[in-house]
Amino acid sequence: MPDYLDDLRLAHVLADAADAATTARFRALDLKVETKPDMTPVSEADKAAEELIRGQLQRARPRDAVLGEEYGVEGTGPRRWVIDPIDGTKNYVRGVPVWATLISLMEAGEGGYQPVVGVVSAPALGRRWWAAKGHGAFTGRNLTSASRIHVSRVGRLADASFAYSSLSGWEEQNRLDGFLDLSRQVWRTRAYGDFWPYMMVAEGSVDICAEPELSLWDMAANAIIVTEAGGTFTGLDGRPGPHSGNAAASNGLLHDELLGYLNPRS
């Protein structure tokens, strides 16, 4: 089995470059922000970070395809880098430090492309998380200053911490009743938002999290980090991986109960 460690090292180099670009424009008074056709914001920093990553990938991995939130897909083949230049753009443009660059390498296999490398870098929080298939998940400043992370062993919903992004979307999908029922069963709920709940599941400080509507670039890096930390990452339909347009992540022990509450009831 490939060890993917060279790709992981490259992903860290890409994240370093993106961090420098995004941090330089964070809280800038002249930051330019536009509205995309789907009514979500995009800043000049989103575009600059993705262009920077694409440029480095073109030089370092010219045969690999690239899929990014801002510029779509380029190239074909069995390996595809998936980029969210700023996950949490709404936070970024308002000066909230909860945002990150998400970088994943996906490889063609059974069931389609699956993530094999993931890096989530949140420079305003001073945090970074990463994983490569078969090598576990880690957090730290860099590859040489890292601690391995593991999901929690909480086995009862009554003792579990449940994280999510917001209430919007759950009602539109006829899942709000189950969401609220779940929130009443757990020990604690918090709407940390975006990438952060998944990283907290991976490091064991949160036990379950879910979102009703997502894109592949929102999930690919998170998925490999959660699973390499010993957790479970699926769609709300139970399909493993980041392909369902939504996500549920857990320590594994609580996953079936999580899905049971969040699926529409007849």
Side-chain angles (χ1 to χ4, degrees), residues 52-64 66 74:
L52 190 62
I53 293 170
R54 284 175 178 270
Q56 293 203 14
L57 283 171
Q58 179 59 39
R59 292 188 291 274
R61 296 289 190 276
R63 296 183 179 180
D64 292 352
V66 181
E74 182 178 0

Side-chain angles (χ1 to χ4, degrees), residues 45-55 68-72 83 85:
D46 291 79
K47 294 180 177 180
E50 184 167 326
E51 289 171 351
L52 190 62
I53 293 170
R54 284 175 178 270
E69 179 176 10
E70 306 308 334
Y71 295 106
I83 305 160

Side-chain angles (χ1 to χ4, degrees), residues 16-244:
D16 289 343
D19 284 356
T22 54
T23 302
R25 298 298 292 155
F26 183 49
R27 292 179 173 155
L29 296 179
D30 60 345
L31 181 72
K32 295 185 176 68
V33 182
E34 303 170 4
T35 300
K36 294 190 286 189
D38 63 0
M39 302 308 293
T40 61
V42 58
S43 74
E44 63 182 78
D46 291 79
K47 294 180 177 180
E50 184 167 326
E51 289 171 351
L52 190 62
I53 293 170
R54 284 175 178 270
Q56 293 203 14
L57 283 171
Q58 179 59 39
R59 292 188 291 274
R61 296 289 190 276
R63 296 183 179 180
D64 292 352
V66 181
L67 170 65
E69 179 176 10
E70 306 308 334
Y71 295 106
V73 66
E74 182 178 0
T76 59
R79 289 165 46 98
R80 176 181 292 178
W81 294 85
V82 179
I83 305 160
D84 189 343
I86 299 179
D87 184 53
T89 298
K90 291 178 182 178
N91 283 346
Y92 184 89
V93 301
R94 289 297 303 270
V96 178
V98 183
W99 49 271
T101 295
L102 278 54
I103 300 169
S104 178
L105 172 63
M106 302 186 74
E107 199 167 70
E110 291 186 20
Y113 285 90
Q114 298 298 331
V116 294
V117 167
V119 172
V120 172
S121 191
L125 294 177
R127 298 294 310 275
R128 183 177 290 187
W129 302 261
W130 62 88
K133 185 177 180 180
H135 290 277
F138 295 83
T139 187
R141 294 287 184 175
N142 52 55
L143 283 166
T144 59
S145 176
S147 301
R148 190 160 186 170
I149 55 177
H150 302 274
V151 296
S152 75
R153 300 299 299 168
V154 173
R156 298 196 319 145
L157 279 180
D159 300 323
S161 180
F162 171 40
Y164 59 98
S165 284
S166 68
L167 289 175
S168 62
W170 296 105
E171 187 168 22
E172 295 171 10
Q173 297 187 11
N174 192 30
R175 301 181 194 266
L176 183 60
D177 288 346
F179 176 92
L180 294 175
D181 287 345
L182 174 61
S183 71
R184 297 182 186 107
Q185 297 300 315
V186 298
W187 167 64
R188 190 171 191 249
T189 63
R190 283 294 183 272
Y192 299 106
D194 301 305
F195 67 94
W196 208 7
Y198 302 96
M199 298 303 97
M200 286 191 278
V201 167
E203 60 189 13
S205 52
V206 163
D207 310 298
I208 55 176
C209 70
E211 290 182 86
E213 188 174 2
L214 293 166
S215 297
L216 181 60
W217 46 76
D218 298 312
M219 298 183 283
N222 295 337
I224 183 68
I225 294 171
V226 168
T227 55
E228 284 293 320
T232 301
F233 189 105
T234 73
L236 296 174
D237 56 5
R239 180 185 177 190
H243 297 289
S244 298

